[in-house]
Amino acid sequence: MKRNIYKFLMSGVFLLLFMGISTSCDPLGIEPTTQVDEGRFWLNPQLARSYVNNFYFWTPAGAGDTFQSEQWSDNCQGNAEQDWNTYRQESFNKRQYDENNGIIGFSAPWSDSYKKVYNVNLGIEKINSSSALSENLKNQLLAESYFFRAFVYFDMIKYWGAVPYVSKALTIDDNTYLPQNKREEIFDNILSDLTESVKFFDAYGGTPDVGMVNRNVATAYISRVALYAANAADASAKNLYTDDPAGLFKFEKNAQHYYQISYN
């Protein structure tokens, strides 16, 4: 299966281009008070901080305040009478929904997730290359960015198990018809991002404000993700994934490998 994520990236690219055009081509030569072009955006510590702050508005699709998606959360609770015997929503359990358009009362996470991935990847690249941000601020922003990329992919892997993994901000010149990565690869990439997050928090050395992601959050998330990976590896070892001709759900590492990561 290949999914075209091109159209989900274009909105972000268009916005950035628009910001540049609307400022650099001002015929009156007057600096706007409500916009800033991309080139100068990443030279401003406050704007860079606000860009990463936007990630905090993201919530996992697998949980919701109206139980619309609770069947994907640890509560495993459906929201209609016909689901109460199985504690799963019938439409989700039988995959009777469109990943792009969702169903009544539910907005599917596919397009939104790749918009988030693009935003994180762009942030990581721009923060890394900025010459105006202090090393301390860079470390904190990168620590949070790597955490949120893991956060998004962890949500996606619970929906589809195997999805295309993108680790850079794709442009219109890149191939956007991407194949699925193996489930093991995605879990390993998530754990790698969380490990990077911990490293950047260690380099940062400060104390984030209350409510913000910190080293302890990233470390706890490593343990949580590793437990999910261990369960998937165990299912692979028991050959429970029978309808998998491409081997996307096949694990090379055993469950104990991931249990050890979680324990550590």
Side-chain angles (χ1 to χ4, degrees), residues 150-158 187 190 221 224-225 228:
F151 178 87
V152 174
Y153 272 109
F154 186 46
D155 198 31
M156 293 178 74
I157 203 171
K158 286 185 283 185
F187 269 121
I190 292 171
Y221 227 69
R224 183 176 179 81
V225 171
Y228 274 74

Side-chain angles (χ1 to χ4, degrees), residues 65-206:
D65 59 357
T66 57
F67 292 97
Q68 292 291 350
S69 306
E70 285 292 284
Q71 73 288 341
W72 293 104
S73 77
D74 289 342
N75 295 326
C76 295
Q77 175 64 59
N79 70 336
E81 290 185 9
Q82 68 265 27
D83 302 325
W84 291 350
N85 290 332
T86 61
Y87 294 96
R88 294 280 178 172
Q89 288 191 38
E90 197 74 10
S91 57
F92 287 87
N93 201 33
K94 295 183 178 179
R95 285 291 196 259
Q96 296 170 342
Y97 65 92
D98 186 322
E99 293 90 341
N100 291 315
N101 301 316
I103 59 175
I104 296 175
F106 171 76
S107 178
W110 183 264
S111 62
D112 191 50
S113 294
Y114 277 104
K115 290 175 184 175
K116 292 173 181 175
V117 168
Y118 173 81
N119 288 337
V120 173
N121 288 338
L122 181 68
I124 290 174
E125 293 173 8
K126 295 297 184 180
I127 293 165
N128 260 321
S129 62
S130 176
S131 59
L133 304 181
S134 69
E135 203 64 27
N136 209 40
L137 179 59
K138 273 189 176 183
N139 288 331
Q140 184 184 17
L141 296 181
L142 288 172
E144 294 172 47
S145 296
Y146 278 105
F147 172 85
F148 278 106
R149 186 165 69 184
F151 178 87
V152 174
Y153 272 109
F154 186 46
D155 198 31
M156 293 178 74
I157 203 171
K158 286 185 283 185
Y159 270 87
W160 295 287
V163 296
Y165 188 85
V166 184
S167 58
K168 71 170 190 172
L170 297 178
T171 69
I172 57 175
D173 296 320
D174 291 311
N175 175 26
T176 54
Y177 286 88
L178 303 175
Q180 293 168 284
N181 288 79
K182 291 183 62 176
R183 197 178 194 195
E184 182 179 21
E185 294 173 349
I186 300 169
F187 269 121
D188 289 345
N189 285 334
I190 292 171
L191 292 169
S192 176
D193 275 350
L194 292 170
T195 300
E196 282 297 300
S197 176
V198 171
K199 289 180 180 177
F200 278 112
F201 274 125
D202 286 340
Y204 164 59

